Amino acid sequence: MRRLKRKDSRKYLRSVVAMSELTVQDARSIIEEQIETLKKRNKEPEWMTKLRYKAMDAFFEAPHNDPIIKDPLDYIAKAEEEMYPEVKSLDELPPEMLALLDRLGIADVEKKYIAGLAVQSDTSIVLNDFLKEWRKKGLIVESMEDAVRNHPIVKDLFLKQFNPYESKLAAYHTAVWNGGIFLHVAQGLKVPMPLHLFFLIQNSAMAQAPHIIIHAEPNSEIHLIEGCTSPVLVRHSLHLDMTEAYIGDGANVKLSVLQNWPEYVHTRPMTRARIGKNAEFINTTVGLGTGKSNIANPKYWVDEGGYVELNGIILGQKDFYVDLGGEMNLDALGARGLNASKSVIMDKSSVITRGLIRANAPKTKGHISCDALILNPEARMETYPGLISQVDDAELSHEAAIGKIREEELFYLMSRGLKEEEATQLIVKGFVNPLLKDIPVEFVVEIRKIIEMAVSGGM
Amino acid sequence: MMLQIKNLEVEVENKKIINSLNLSVGKGEFHVIMGPNGSGKSTLALTLMGHPNYKITNGKIEFDGKVINDIPVDERARMGMFLAFQHPEDVEGVKIIDYLRLLLEKVKGIEPAKALQIIPSKAKEVWFSADMLSRYINVGFSGGERKRFEILQALLIKPKLLILDEPDSGVDIDSLSLISHKIRELYEQGTSILLITHYGRILEHIDPKIVRVHIMKDGHIVMSGKEELVEKIEKEGFKKVFEECGCNE
Ligand SMILES: Nc1ncnc2c1ncn2[C@@H]1O[C@H](COP(=O)(O)OP(=O)(O)OP(=O)(O)O)[C@@H](O)[C@H]1O
Ligand SMILES: [Mg+2]
């Protein structure tokens, strides 16, 4: 395999001072400064800057309810101006990133089986040849900054599923969002290969707040894999990404998110999707390194005959706190939803799952399943399934299975010569396996390695 | 001696199940244990393998000249012991092929690529198709499939001592014949055998001259002998045999 050039990593790193005990006035001027910087840097249209300012006002009024982040003001960093060279080709990626791509066997992107690869740096996006080719057919993959300028439709899609007044974190994201992508799949276009997107955040002193829009026109098909396994090059302690997906009638979209955050990061991913008539949206999230805390409550609205699936794989480690919700609104005849989670809970971590399915129309079907494997007596699991039916003929159900590894199955495997650690790893991998069905094999291999390491570390 | 059990006493949940049990299995020997339901045969097998629920309160077990009373199960396995269970466990989510590959790598030091050649061909010998190999361990298996899967693992591992706990229960005639064949194959390759059974049929392909038979009752061996003992029990039943020998006292 061709080795990619290594570059000095130091220049990508910088320190950011998180300021605590900020006054509201300080915070206002910091956010304002960030907005002005972004506006200038991105040459933003006026509607976007207006939206940012509106969100700033909302930030000070919106409610805040987070068990870990008591005061968001603590996480507002002061912006510093500093320029970094733009990454223009895959050869210029920083070494940590290349090492990761190498490990996944996709360094040689032109030839390898990974056809669509995009690497998102702060304000631009690097596409490989496959994506350049598919652009002609109607597949647009652009940095959100560029898309805001280039495509009028973005104005109709941006922040249409969120309201900055609903929470301080949503408001803060909207005010200072930077990075992210716009993915547009033209009507009827079926992209046969999964599209890999890596986030590379290198020169932003602001909160990590990428904004992602998936716009799948009717009858289109795509599988987007977001690899947050990429190294985070800026030491931010709060990551606030927002995803808005529009799945057109008859479209079929898979979104697989692999999260592997460093321990010092709190992540609050915000995902919402509208699923059209007879459309399908499969949202898989694999939280291997979930960071210090990870709280998410994705919401979905499903139209007639549509289907949504949320598959959550959670690996609770150390003293991490993970709270995975998931709200599905089955709004029209025959809509269906499945919320399935599998958690492996180790050390002293806490994992909470709370799926909610609302049957708002006849002949809808929803199911919540929550399985957890608890590997340590100090680990904690809570699950709160919610089923609400507004109609007579909806089928809603839930099941939960929370337990330890059975002594008998461990004995069975060990009686053949496997060590306790090896047998446990095998059982844990087997436990999460059924939810990895949409994840390409290279990633499954990587995920299994991470699980093995985590299990060994916990033993 | 391959296996030497001296004056063994075993408790389960504070209840004594095995007492003053003595048994030796030499290299290249073929031993059969019979006994009524609940006489302690499986308890003995599980104790030999080191199951944590079975407490040795007296006596010792030696394997290959080493006392193994306190040695954990996985080490016993790596020393060359193998137990084919009476009731093999389900392991949800773990594909047979992934498991066997890991087993060959970790226990036998066989490269994964090589293992992927060996496994399917061995599997075929016990009528396991490629489809079967991508199923989860024992999940949804029929009685016969479970027993054949135990044999498959033994064939791959080639243990020094193979303990079989009723490899013939719940299997059809054809599977029974196959399993009997495979036990002989392992025996001929040098594996010592300790076979627990209720029926002589499993010995179909085994040379009667090599077989030594032991009868268990209430946790210890009350009688030992040759293959004829199997036939006698099959004909007369344990009750009569025990009365005749005065074993009920
Ligand atoms: N885990 C356990 N807890 C309680 N009692 C047990 C346990 N295991 C075995 N026993 C008891 O020990 C006795 C011997 O059981 P064991 O399974 O060894 O018999 P067996 O000879 O294998 O019988 P079978 O021919 O039916 O397989 C039985 O009375 C059984 O109920
Ligand atoms: Mg038994």
Side-chain angles (χ1 to χ4, degrees):
Chain A
M1 179 189 301
R2 182 173 59 103
R3 293 269 145 187
L4 297 171
K5 265 181 280 161
R6 297 287 187 262
K7 276 196 155 189
D8 184 8
S9 70
R10 269 170 303 174
K11 72 176 172 210
Y12 295 98
L13 297 171
R14 54 179 297 161
S15 63
V16 169
V17 189
M19 310 228 288
S20 57
E21 287 165 28
L22 229 52
T23 66
V24 168
Q25 200 43 53
D26 291 341
R28 189 176 276 277
S29 59
I30 288 170
I31 297 174
E32 251 174 36
E33 206 184 313
Q34 291 177 343
I35 294 175
E36 286 302 315
T37 305
L38 289 164
K39 170 183 142 186
K40 218 164 53 204
R41 187 188 76 177
N42 302 342
K43 301 185 187 67
E44 272 170 12
E46 208 184 318
W47 67 267
M48 178 50 73
T49 312
K50 261 192 182 151
L51 180 62
R52 289 185 188 276
Y53 274 108
K54 180 181 158 206
M56 180 180 75
D57 290 340
F59 176 73
F60 295 101
E61 286 174 36
H64 178 68
N65 187 2
D66 191 297
I68 309 287
I69 294 174
K70 297 292 180 221
D71 186 356
L73 288 186
D74 293 344
Y75 292 83
I76 294 177
K78 185 160 167 42
E80 291 166 35
E81 247 340 285
E82 201 172 325
M83 292 310 288
Y84 283 85
E86 190 85 342
V87 172
K88 292 231 165 46
S89 84
L90 296 174
D91 288 347
E92 293 171 25
L93 295 174
E96 296 90 324
M97 184 85 183
L98 288 175
L100 178 93
L101 295 179
D102 251 3
R103 234 179 35 243
L104 294 173
I106 54 177
D108 207 353
V109 286
E110 261 76 340
K111 280 190 244 136
K112 280 285 198 168
Y113 34 87
I114 296 225
L117 179 79
V119 174
Q120 157 87 70
S121 74
D122 288 293
T123 55
S124 65
I125 195 154
V126 185
L127 305 179
N128 71 352
D129 291 344
F130 174 88
L131 291 180
K132 288 177 196 153
E133 196 53 39
W134 276 76
R135 169 113 193 182
K136 292 173 206 149
K137 300 182 188 173
L139 173 65
I140 300 174
V141 184
E142 236 169 71
S143 79
M144 190 53 82
E145 280 87 350
D146 287 348
V148 163
R149 279 194 311 270
N150 297 344
H151 304 284
I153 192 174
V154 173
K155 192 179 171 185
D156 301 328
L157 304 174
F158 199 102
L159 213 77
K160 289 295 181 275
Q161 300 193 47
F162 289 86
N163 176 349
Y165 281 89
E166 66 186 72
S167 80
K168 278 200 181 348
L169 295 182
Y172 186 54
H173 167 94
T174 309
V176 303
W177 73 267
N178 53 102
I181 62 157
F182 175 61
L183 176 69
H184 174 91
V185 195
Q187 177 151 4
L189 182 67
K190 294 181 168 46
V191 184
M193 303 289 220
L195 170 67
H196 293 253
L197 174 73
F198 284 91
F199 285 103
L200 167 63
I201 297 126
Q202 48 182 4
N203 72 350
S204 171
M206 297 163 218
Q208 275 184 30
H211 197 97
I212 296 155
I213 292 178
I214 298 172
H215 186 225
E217 290 195 336
N219 301 315
S220 61
E221 260 180 51
I222 192 155
H223 184 182
L224 177 66
I225 299 171
E226 275 180 33
C228 300
T229 48
S230 55
V232 177
L233 300 176
V234 183
R235 270 188 85 91
H236 271 297
S237 48
L238 179 60
H239 183 97
L240 290 174
D241 57 289
M242 194 179 267
T243 302
E244 297 181 271
Y246 300 86
I247 318 297
D249 294 350
N252 191 320
V253 176
K254 291 183 177 135
L255 171 65
S256 306
V257 183
L258 309 170
Q259 309 192 55
N260 195 6
W261 299 103
E263 284 175 30
Y264 51 81
V265 174
H266 298 280
T267 54
R268 298 293 178 270
M270 294 174 262
T271 300
R272 287 185 191 173
R274 291 191 179 283
I275 294 114
K277 292 190 176 64
N278 300 311
E280 208 176 279
F281 185 50
I282 313 284
N283 190 183
T284 300
T285 136
V286 184
L288 294 164
T290 50
K292 190 111 192 95
S293 72
N294 180 300
I295 300 176
N297 189 26
K299 293 187 184 177
Y300 313 89
W301 291 269
V302 190
D303 205 341
E304 192 177 322
Y307 177 64
V308 65
E309 193 174 302
L310 171 62
N311 298 307
I313 292 178
I314 302 166
L315 207 59
Q317 289 171 266
K318 313 209 168 143
D319 59 348
F320 301 167
Y321 180 96
V322 183
D323 185 335
L324 177 62
E327 210 181 292
M328 295 174 174
N329 297 285
L330 309 178
D331 290 333
L333 183 78
R336 291 170 301 132
L338 169 66
N339 178 331
S341 68
K342 291 213 174 231
S343 316
V344 180
I345 314 172
M346 296 177 274
D347 309 323
K348 295 180 181 175
S349 59
S350 308
V351 173
I352 301 169
T353 62
R354 41 180 123 232
L356 176 65
I357 302 183
R358 284 197 199 89
N360 298 327
K363 300 210 160 49
T364 49
K365 255 191 206 177
H367 185 70
I368 299 174
S369 88
C370 160
D371 294 337
L373 202 52
I374 299 184
L375 298 188
N376 189 309
E378 289 182 276
R380 201 166 61 90
M381 167 79 198
E382 290 169 28
T383 178
Y384 304 98
L387 301 172
I388 300 172
S389 185
Q390 314 277 9
V391 291
D392 291 341
D393 53 355
E395 263 180 58
L396 297 179
S397 55
H398 76 84
E399 60 186 320
I402 301 176
K404 296 187 289 189
I405 290 184
R406 286 184 307 118
E407 211 175 287
E408 292 302 331
E409 65 182 344
L410 201 58
F411 183 78
Y412 182 76
L413 297 177
M414 287 176 69
S415 81
R416 301 287 136 90
L418 294 180
K419 297 187 176 130
E420 184 174 359
E421 187 177 314
E422 292 160 354
T424 307
Q425 287 169 348
L426 200 61
I427 292 169
V428 171
K429 284 185 287 184
F431 172 76
V432 300
N433 213 22
L435 291 195
L436 293 175
K437 59 188 190 321
D438 286 323
I439 310 281
V441 64
E442 320 82 76
F443 284 96
V444 171
V445 169
E446 182 73 3
I447 289 164
R448 288 177 161 190
K449 268 191 238 152
I450 292 172
I451 291 176
E452 283 173 16
M453 272 152 49
V455 169
S456 307
M459 288 182 71
Chain B
M1 264 311 141
M2 176 104 298
L3 177 74
Q4 194 145 37
I5 304 167
K6 289 182 187 156
N7 207 19
L8 189 69
E9 194 178 285
V10 178
E11 268 183 28
V12 187
E13 321 239 317
N14 297 319
K15 202 172 92 192
K16 193 179 290 179
I17 307 289
I18 288 185
N19 61 76
S20 348
L21 190 140
N22 291 287
L23 179 69
S24 294
V25 178
K27 199 166 160 21
E29 290 181 0
F30 197 116
H31 291 251
V32 172
I33 295 182
M34 297 181 84
N37 294 133
S39 57
K41 303 180 298 298
S42 294
T43 302
L44 175 64
L46 290 163
T47 307
L48 290 177
M49 212 59 219
H51 194 290
N53 287 358
Y54 299 82
K55 303 262 176 307
I56 298 179
T57 48
N58 206 355
K60 64 180 175 186
I61 305 169
E62 274 177 34
F63 181 74
D64 244 356
K66 199 170 161 194
V67 177
I68 58 167
N69 285 30
D70 297 321
I71 288 182
V73 52
D74 53 322
E75 261 178 67
R76 292 185 200 205
R78 289 195 300 274
M79 287 169 74
M81 297 175 76
F82 186 110
L83 168 61
F85 290 87
Q86 182 175 2
H87 304 290
E89 279 299 311
D90 293 10
V91 187
E92 196 64 61
V94 179
K95 287 188 183 164
I96 290 180
I97 186 74
D98 294 338
Y99 159 64
L100 292 180
R101 204 174 49 187
L102 184 75
L103 200 59
L104 286 183
E105 187 190 335
K106 299 290 178 189
V107 180
K108 304 293 282 183
I110 295 172
E111 296 272 314
K114 183 97 192 294
L116 284 182
Q117 296 179 334
I118 300 173
I119 296 163
S121 72
K122 274 280 172 238
K124 229 174 171 176
E125 291 180 23
V126 294
W127 311 339
F128 269 47
S129 62
D131 283 356
M132 199 75 184
L133 292 179
S134 54
R135 282 176 62 178
Y136 300 147
I137 297 174
N138 291 325
V139 176
F141 279 24
S142 72
E145 284 166 346
R146 272 171 210 268
K147 297 293 157 110
R148 281 189 275 120
F149 182 54
E150 295 295 282
I151 296 294
L152 171 59
Q153 294 169 72
L155 288 170
L156 287 167
I157 289 192
K158 298 198 188 94
K160 288 185 190 165
L161 173 67
L162 174 59
I163 305 162
L164 298 135
D165 192 353
E166 297 193 24
D168 48 355
S169 64
V171 288
D172 64 34
I173 294 291
D174 300 309
S175 292
L176 187 63
S177 174
L178 173 76
I179 290 170
S180 179
H181 254 301
K182 290 297 168 191
I183 294 172
R184 184 174 84 184
E185 188 179 310
L186 278 159
Y187 174 76
E188 283 170 352
Q189 287 170 11
T191 295
S192 308
I193 309 284
L194 182 58
L195 169 65
I196 296 167
T197 185
H198 287 293
Y199 308 103
R201 185 89 202 232
I202 186 71
L203 302 172
E204 183 186 346
H205 299 290
I206 313 294
D207 178 3
K209 290 197 294 292
I210 61 167
V211 175
R212 294 152 211 243
V213 182
H214 311 275
I215 311 298
M216 247 180 114
K217 180 178 184 295
D218 302 331
H220 71 264
I221 291 172
V222 292
M223 207 190 282
S224 294
K226 290 272 176 64
E227 231 245 346
E228 298 84 65
L229 204 47
V230 180
E231 286 158 35
K232 192 173 159 73
I233 285 165
E234 284 200 315
K235 220 159 59 209
E236 302 174 5
F238 287 112
K239 254 199 180 116
K240 187 139 181 266
V241 173
F242 288 154
E243 269 165 29
E244 277 176 25
C245 76
C247 294
N248 286 330
E249 272 75 67

